[in-house]
Amino acid sequence: MAAEALARLAEERVDHRFKGLPSDAMGRTVAELTAERRNLFTDGFATPVLALSAERLEHNLRLMETYAERHGLAFAPHGKTSMAPQLFQRQIEHGAWGITLAVPHQVWVAREFGVQRVFLANELVDAAALRRLAAELAADPDFRFVCYVDSVRGVELMDAALAGAARPVDVVVELAAGEGARTGVRTEAECAAVADAVAAASALRLVGVAGYEGEVPQATPERVHAWLGRLVALAVDFDKAGRFADTDEIVVSAGGSAWFDAVADVFGEIPELSRPVHKLLRSGAYVSHDDGHYRKLTPFNRVPEEGALEPAFRLWAQVVSRPSAEQAFLNAGKRDAAYDLDLPFAQVVRRDGVERPAAGIEVTGLSDQHAWLRTGPEADLEVGDWVGLGLSHPCTSFDKWPLIPVAEADGTVVDYIRTFF
């Protein structure tokens, strides 16, 4: 099913929906365009155009595969980062247990492309979505689905919507990362009350505990380790109380992209429980990494002996105005570049096939369709130059581009990644 669905993506025809692609590619299928192996810089691609590095993408996939294996972790990377079924498939081929998602729409996309294991890192109380989920579970006995619960009321709403379902929905109690954090149960006593509600619900099955350490207030290594210790202790206490009697394995899950080293440390010390423990890491931003937020926060900065992720995105834009020696404007703005965490970073300038560092060039602001550049005395920049921009925050980079060229170092485009937001 997955192979057939992905093959259908390759048969999609290039048209006005897709930015930056060569005008003479219109009407070709994606497979036909891929087979032409066009060059990003010389074969008709128009600025602005976002590209992924083929080599860096593969490097990142391999690095996290080996990291998870080394630390004895199962891996369900968060798919909301890319919402790209082709990347889901590559992540699974690189050892991922399944895909983490956040909302029902994302689940339906993953299911359309054959994803058989989904961890929903969110509460799910929408009756219509729950009925559709029940139908998916009934139709496919191999489909595994797990989601959060964090309130007795939520459990009651789920149980009511799922009345008569052929299979129970597996749930994990979400432990909040602290007071004032996002979702999740605030205290261990309340966690027990939610677990009791699950036990009383005919349509649900308690299979573990989970949470998101990235929400720990004023996070430090010590505070993150302490919270993860609470999560593990909750699993131990639930197991002693016999709360996992109906499951074959106990799920303990955490892991964003900033603290997965702490997750590996603490999960590596989980004691033996009554059933095998499924230690599930969910970091997602690694697949493309970035040049800002995650470059600064990645755990590989703390454990360099484990390797290093490489930023795979580059947004190419063109200088369209140079009104003064101190200022220039590119033809890419908020519609093209992530800007919720940091502004893009000018990295390289390309002119007449020659690429050089973007010395003395800084992005100072974004309009809808323009990037504002401050240029110092050392900046060699002319109207018509291409500027390669690094981006911060993968999750708000992928979502602006429905079809993304994957280019090798020399500019040869070897694939196109389709996104579904």
Side-chain angles (χ1 to χ4, degrees):
M1 177 180 172
E4 293 174 2
L6 291 169
R8 288 196 296 272
L9 283 183
E11 295 309 310
E12 193 168 16
R13 294 203 174 271
V14 175
D15 60 22
H16 61 277
R17 293 170 295 167
F18 307 129
K19 302 188 289 184
L21 302 187
S23 59
D24 64 351
M26 299 299 109
R28 286 175 171 81
T29 66
V30 173
E32 290 168 343
L33 184 58
T34 303
E36 293 176 1
R37 294 178 64 86
R38 296 201 184 194
N39 189 279
L40 188 70
F41 306 112
T42 60
D43 288 331
F45 288 86
T47 57
V49 60
L50 181 69
L52 279 164
S53 162
E55 296 88 353
R56 291 183 170 196
L57 188 62
E58 179 65 20
H59 167 84
N60 293 342
L61 288 164
R62 289 184 182 277
L63 181 64
M64 285 305 291
E65 177 183 18
T66 58
Y67 183 87
E69 289 176 351
R70 186 181 305 122
H71 292 280
L73 300 170
F75 190 31
H78 211 317
K80 55 94 177 171
T81 298
S82 71
M83 283 310 297
Q86 293 151 284
L87 294 183
F88 295 172
Q89 182 62 29
R90 290 185 67 177
Q91 289 169 315
I92 291 168
E93 290 169 355
H94 280 277
W97 169 86
I99 299 296
T100 295
L101 297 162
V103 294
H105 159 73
Q106 296 170 357
V107 178
W108 314 146
V109 171
R111 290 296 292 156
E112 180 68 22
F113 291 91
V115 175
Q116 287 293 86
R117 295 175 182 148
V118 170
F119 186 99
L120 190 76
N122 205 348
E123 283 67 28
L124 178 57
V125 297
D126 180 85
L130 285 163
R131 288 192 293 268
R132 179 167 176 179
L133 173 64
E136 291 275 346
L137 289 166
D140 185 354
D142 294 325
F143 176 36
R144 178 83 193 276
F145 177 88
V146 182
C147 74
Y148 285 173
V149 291
D150 78 346
S151 68
V152 172
R153 172 64 172 162
V155 168
E156 292 170 347
L157 289 171
M158 293 182 76
D159 198 39
L162 293 165
R167 292 171 58 191
V169 170
D170 289 347
V171 298
V172 291
V173 172
E174 182 195 7
L175 177 67
E179 287 299 324
R182 203 164 57 189
T183 55
V185 186
R186 266 41 183 176
T187 69
E188 280 74 2
E190 291 172 300
C191 286
V194 174
D196 288 339
V198 172
S202 61
L204 303 179
R205 180 175 70 154
L206 183 66
V207 299
V209 298
Y212 174 47
E213 76 291 341
E215 282 286 309
V216 169
Q218 298 176 315
T220 62
E222 295 74 21
R223 289 178 176 176
V224 171
H225 277 76
W227 178 83
L228 287 164
R230 283 182 62 200
L231 183 69
V232 169
L234 182 65
V236 172
D237 289 346
F238 275 12
D239 189 45
K240 287 179 180 177
R243 296 188 184 279
F244 299 129
D246 296 331
T247 184
D248 295 330
E249 65 180 10
I250 298 168
V251 177
V252 182
S253 180
S257 295
W259 294 103
F260 54 75
D261 58 332
V263 176
D265 289 345
V266 177
F267 281 14
E269 299 174 356
I270 294 177
E272 184 174 345
L273 301 181
S274 65
R275 285 153 179 75
V277 179
H278 189 63
K279 305 171 185 179
L280 192 62
L281 181 69
R282 307 191 308 268
S283 312
Y286 81 98
V287 70
S288 66
H289 199 44
D290 73 5
D291 281 292
H293 185 70
Y294 287 111
R295 181 192 281 273
K296 291 178 286 189
L297 294 183
T298 177
F300 289 116
N301 292 338
R302 295 187 289 272
V303 287
E305 67 276 10
E306 300 252 32
L309 293 168
E310 297 177 353
F313 270 135
R314 182 160 285 173
L315 176 64
W316 289 97
Q318 197 167 24
V319 180
V320 294
S321 180
R322 188 82 160 98
S324 73
E326 294 79 31
Q327 196 173 40
F329 291 88
L330 303 178
N331 63 344
K334 293 179 181 179
R335 301 289 186 255
D336 313 296
Y339 60 92
D340 56 319
L341 295 178
D342 300 286
L343 290 171
F345 308 91
Q347 294 182 320
V348 295
V349 175
R350 188 177 181 90
R351 183 190 303 160
D352 298 328
V354 178
E355 202 170 289
R356 50 190 165 72
I361 302 171
E362 178 187 4
V363 179
T364 59
L366 294 177
S367 300
D368 283 353
Q369 306 294 171
H370 292 92
W372 295 57
L373 303 185
R374 178 186 297 125
T375 53
E378 69 274 37
D380 178 12
L381 196 65
E382 296 178 356
V383 169
D385 289 348
W386 283 34
V387 178
L389 300 172
L391 302 176
S392 183
H393 200 188
C395 300
T396 49
S397 298
F398 277 104
D399 68 358
K400 294 170 174 56
W401 294 85
L403 195 64
I404 305 172
V406 179
E408 294 179 338
D410 66 356
T412 301
V413 176
V414 296
D415 201 1
Y416 296 82
I417 300 297
R418 184 75 160 90
T419 65
F420 292 86
F421 284 93

